[in-house]
Amino acid sequence: MTTITTTLDTVTSKDGTTISYRRLGRGPGLVLLHGAMQTGHSNIELAQALADEFTCYVPDRRGRGRSGPSGPDYRLDREVEDLDALLTATGADRVVGVSSGAIITLRTALVRPGLRKAVIFEPPLDIDGSFPAGWLARFDRELASGRIPAALVTGMRAARLGPPVFNVIPRAILEPLTAMMLKSQDKAAVEGEPTFRELAPSLHNDGQLVAETAGALDLYRSIETEVLLLGGTRSPAYLKSALTGLERVLPHVRRVGLKGLDHSATCNADQRGRPEQVAAAIRGFLS
């Protein structure tokens, strides 16, 4: 297997926050923007699968990994400024946005006409109450009281990404199981890569992005960027509904379904992802 050299670099966002990113590959510039409970490392195998044709830039979003803190003035605009700063610094004009990263990518396309192509993978948009953000209040209370396993259960149930049985198992069982998972991950932690325990506070930010963009589907009618909508056939219905809604309003759009895959498709293989399959689905569109 060919060794792919990866380098680390940083860019400074508009508010002074440092955004760290990995660079690998050769060819036209492509940013891969991760989703909730992730860092850039979560999509590094997807970047490696695309690195033979593209120079891939894989950032840690603010508040995660090697990047600076979310900041007291956190909101969607800050994330858009971060992505815009990275695109400007690198000259990249293509983005793969994953989950909440796809929401940021859509909003960036509204303010950055130079963005040529965007792959939008399953943005958790709230369309007519399909993904309400009412869970955030409970999540914040649990997190503030130090009950991280409880907060993660609240977030996971709201996202509906686990197996159906997850929603009927009592919390009295789920919370201890989650606590055991966190302890196990803490023991196996790799230096430089945050654990779920460390990433837990960032889940509030992703929920805030969903709340900020609720009911705003028509905004995307003015996007001139070429968009590929991507989703797994086994993903939750609300994520499929978001793609259907976008398909109706985006002027330059096509859609591809990933047969047999779910919301973890873009992740590394050890996180149940299928990065090679995703890369094959998007490579021609990005070229």
Side-chain angles (χ1 to χ4, degrees):
M1 180 180 292
T2 302
T3 300
I4 301 175
T5 301
T6 301
T7 59
L8 284 172
D9 207 340
T10 62
V11 65
T12 303
S13 192
K14 184 177 180 180
D15 70 348
T17 300
T18 297
I19 303 300
S20 177
Y21 64 92
R22 298 165 174 84
R23 176 171 56 83
L24 62 155
R26 58 184 181 182
L30 168 66
V31 173
L32 289 85
L33 195 64
H34 66 79
M37 295 297 292
Q38 295 182 338
T39 64
H41 178 72
S42 302
N43 297 141
I44 198 65
E45 290 178 12
L46 177 57
Q48 290 169 343
L50 293 165
D52 57 338
E53 294 185 30
F54 302 95
T55 302
C56 297
Y57 302 96
V58 192
D60 293 336
R61 286 169 48 201
R62 63 171 55 209
R64 309 152 202 255
R66 295 177 174 86
S67 290
S70 300
D73 190 33
Y74 178 85
R75 58 182 187 274
L76 178 56
D77 286 350
R78 299 291 84 79
E79 297 263 20
V80 171
E81 289 167 359
D82 296 347
L83 178 54
D84 185 68
L86 180 56
L87 290 168
T88 298
T90 62
D93 59 3
R94 299 162 173 83
V95 178
V96 175
V98 175
S99 193
S100 50
I103 294 178
I104 298 164
T105 302
L106 285 167
R107 287 305 181 101
T108 301
L110 283 171
V111 299
R112 190 179 177 93
L115 185 60
R116 287 187 57 217
K117 295 185 178 183
V119 177
I120 301 299
F121 179 81
E122 296 189 344
L125 297 172
D126 180 6
I127 300 176
D128 298 327
S130 63
F131 187 34
W135 60 275
L136 268 176
R138 178 173 184 167
F139 174 86
D140 289 344
R141 289 194 304 270
E142 291 167 338
L143 197 65
S145 64
R147 299 174 58 209
I148 293 176
L152 289 178
V153 169
T154 295
M156 288 186 289
R157 278 191 160 176
R160 290 165 268 170
L161 295 176
V165 69
F166 188 85
N167 296 315
V168 298
I169 296 176
R171 291 184 66 105
I173 296 175
L174 285 177
E175 291 179 19
L177 288 175
T178 303
M180 290 172 59
M181 178 274 291
L182 292 176
K183 288 181 180 179
S184 176
Q185 192 189 47
D186 289 342
K187 292 178 180 178
V190 176
E191 185 177 357
E193 293 302 331
T195 62
F196 283 169
R197 189 185 304 278
E198 294 168 319
L199 285 171
S202 70
L203 191 55
H204 170 94
N205 293 353
D206 295 283
Q208 183 175 328
L209 297 185
V210 175
E212 280 191 59
T213 55
L217 199 61
D218 279 348
L219 273 179
Y220 306 122
R221 293 185 185 278
S222 63
I223 289 178
E224 290 301 317
T225 301
E226 293 180 52
V227 175
L228 174 66
L229 299 175
L230 199 63
T233 60
R234 297 180 60 191
S235 291
Y238 76 93
L239 294 172
K240 296 176 183 177
S241 295
L243 293 176
T244 298
L246 288 168
E247 192 174 16
R248 291 170 179 162
V249 301
L250 289 168
H252 310 289
V253 65
R254 69 183 80 168
R255 183 173 176 178
V256 171
L258 299 169
K259 189 174 181 179
L261 302 188
D262 58 21
H263 198 61
S264 64
T266 63
C267 295
N268 298 333
D270 65 358
Q271 298 171 315
R272 298 187 302 113
R274 295 292 183 269
E276 292 284 353
Q277 192 171 336
V278 175
I282 66 179
R283 188 177 283 109
F285 168 77
L286 289 170
S287 297

